Amino acid sequence: MGRKNALRIDIVTIFPEYFGSPLGVSLIGKAAVRGDIEFGVHDLRRWATDVHHTVDDLPFGGGPGMVMKPDVWGDALDEIVPADGGSARLVVPTPSGVPFTQDIAAGYAAEPRLVFACGRYEGIDGRVAEAMRDRMLVDEVSVGDYVLAGGEAAALVMIEAVGRLLPGVLGNASSVGDDSFGGDGDPDGAMRGLLEGPVYTRPRTWREREVPEGEAAKDFGVRALEVSLQALHASGSEAEGRLVEDHPLDALRALVDEVGADEVIVLTDPHYVEEFFHRDWASRARHKVGVPVLKLFSHSEA
Ligand code: JB8
């Protein structure tokens, strides 16, 4: 078994090979290597009982397509999940499910164990989800208002959204429970989107397009500040704000002196390189403003 606080994810599918690459790369691949996430991918046909490994049958009442057999799914889930549910949560992707949201992702990231039941054809016999509710939480979830050919791609979407929220996954190492304060853990909160905007990197001029600077850059800052203050006021805060155009550290020091602040809280998106070298300006502020500087990270990737 993996380390403590690890998330165990089981996936049941007739296409186990579908998951190899996506779960092996990037943040999730590394989290799996470290043991922060543990995957079990199971071929549903292992629980089929006939020579053809049949997993589907004709729908009662007629209609198009085939329906996945309850006996095969029942035997699979009986073997994968302990009889008492073992604190697992069963997630069944289906176009008729409740919409998958960032809040649901955050809830899943706090679970010890998720089991994804990926259907194909017209879906899984409706009694399977019903029967499993006797032993565990069962969520029927949709990742969007369109119809996929099966639950596999939907499961990957959810696993990616959950994986990047796990503690220990890059960018979350120092997060301080600031989900409700501008982080993407609470995208419906008052602060949603305040720190987002277009981003730029080198070269400064590309195909005759300049990275916004001066007045052009200020425009975005002015709007972001407006929206931020509006949201804060709407939530009952007496926040004031100002846009800083010269060096933020000098402005911060001046502000600390001006208002006699005894603490500074910096809310920022994490940046991998800056964090690694402790070169971010919030860290430098610690040595310059003469009061404690608490740094909070939003839950987004570097
Ligand atoms: C058969 O669009 B979907 C979705 C579609 C599906 C199945 C599961 C999910 C199974 N078609 O979220």
Side-chain angles (χ1 to χ4, degrees):
M1 282 298 272
R3 22 148 67 205
K4 80 175 162 66
N5 292 328
L7 170 59
R8 165 82 191 188
I9 297 180
D10 289 282
I11 302 166
V12 191
T13 171
I14 58 169
F15 297 121
E17 68 276 18
Y18 185 95
F19 292 89
S21 300
L23 298 183
V25 301
S26 191
L27 291 182
I28 287 169
K30 285 173 198 151
V33 167
R34 279 197 311 271
D36 288 334
I37 318 183
E38 204 180 285
F39 290 109
V41 182
H42 311 274
D43 185 351
L44 178 70
R45 291 193 196 278
R46 220 179 98 200
W47 289 274
T49 51
D50 65 321
V51 286
H52 298 110
H53 304 290
T54 307
V55 295
D56 61 331
D57 201 348
L58 293 165
F60 275 116
M66 302 291 273
V67 173
M68 293 191 109
K69 289 160 59 62
D71 50 345
V72 179
W73 271 105
D75 287 351
L77 294 172
D78 283 352
E79 189 174 326
I80 291 162
V81 184
D84 64 354
S87 58
R89 194 171 185 120
L90 182 65
V91 183
V92 187
T94 165
S96 60
V98 300
F100 183 66
T101 61
Q102 190 66 27
D103 280 350
I104 294 177
Y108 287 177
E111 295 279 353
R113 182 148 191 217
L114 300 172
V115 179
F116 288 89
C118 300
R120 282 269 152 177
Y121 315 110
E122 300 305 310
I124 304 168
D125 185 299
R127 292 166 293 183
V128 174
E130 211 178 286
M132 293 302 146
R133 278 188 222 280
D134 290 346
R135 80 170 81 144
M136 66 185 131
L137 292 170
V138 178
D139 296 345
E140 295 180 279
V141 184
S142 162
V143 293
D145 226 341
Y146 39 76
V147 180
L148 301 169
E152 286 80 6
L156 281 178
V157 165
M158 291 188 258
I159 290 165
E160 182 159 323
V162 170
R164 64 183 285 285
L165 296 179
L166 293 175
V169 171
L170 181 68
N172 294 329
S174 333
S175 78
V176 201
D178 58 336
D179 290 22
S180 60
F181 207 67
D184 60 11
D186 179 30
D188 295 324
M191 300 292 279
R192 178 180 187 174
L194 299 186
L195 303 174
E196 290 163 25
V199 294
Y200 306 93
T201 185
R202 292 179 293 181
R204 190 168 283 288
T205 307
W206 177 75
R207 296 190 181 177
E208 297 174 348
R209 290 161 194 275
E210 302 292 325
V211 173
E213 250 189 317
E215 287 308 301
K218 200 172 147 186
D219 244 31
F220 176 76
V222 168
R223 275 199 308 277
L225 181 57
E226 257 172 35
V227 174
S228 304
L229 289 175
Q230 244 166 44
L232 286 163
H233 294 158
S235 73
S237 160
E238 289 174 30
E240 291 171 46
R242 71 180 68 165
L243 191 67
V244 170
E245 290 182 67
D246 45 7
H247 197 290
L249 273 192
D250 298 331
L252 182 60
R253 182 162 33 187
L255 182 62
V256 165
D257 292 344
E258 181 190 324
V259 304
D262 47 30
E263 189 177 17
V264 171
I265 298 175
V266 174
L267 176 63
T268 179
D269 277 343
H271 188 289
Y272 177 50
V273 174
E274 285 191 338
E275 285 317 301
F276 188 81
F277 292 105
H278 302 286
R279 290 281 301 158
D280 61 300
W281 73 263
S283 297
R284 277 153 34 209
R286 226 158 257 143
H287 306 286
K288 290 207 174 178
V289 297
V291 295
V293 176
L294 171 64
K295 185 167 179 180
L296 301 181
F297 292 97
S298 62
H299 267 199
S300 38
E301 267 173 52

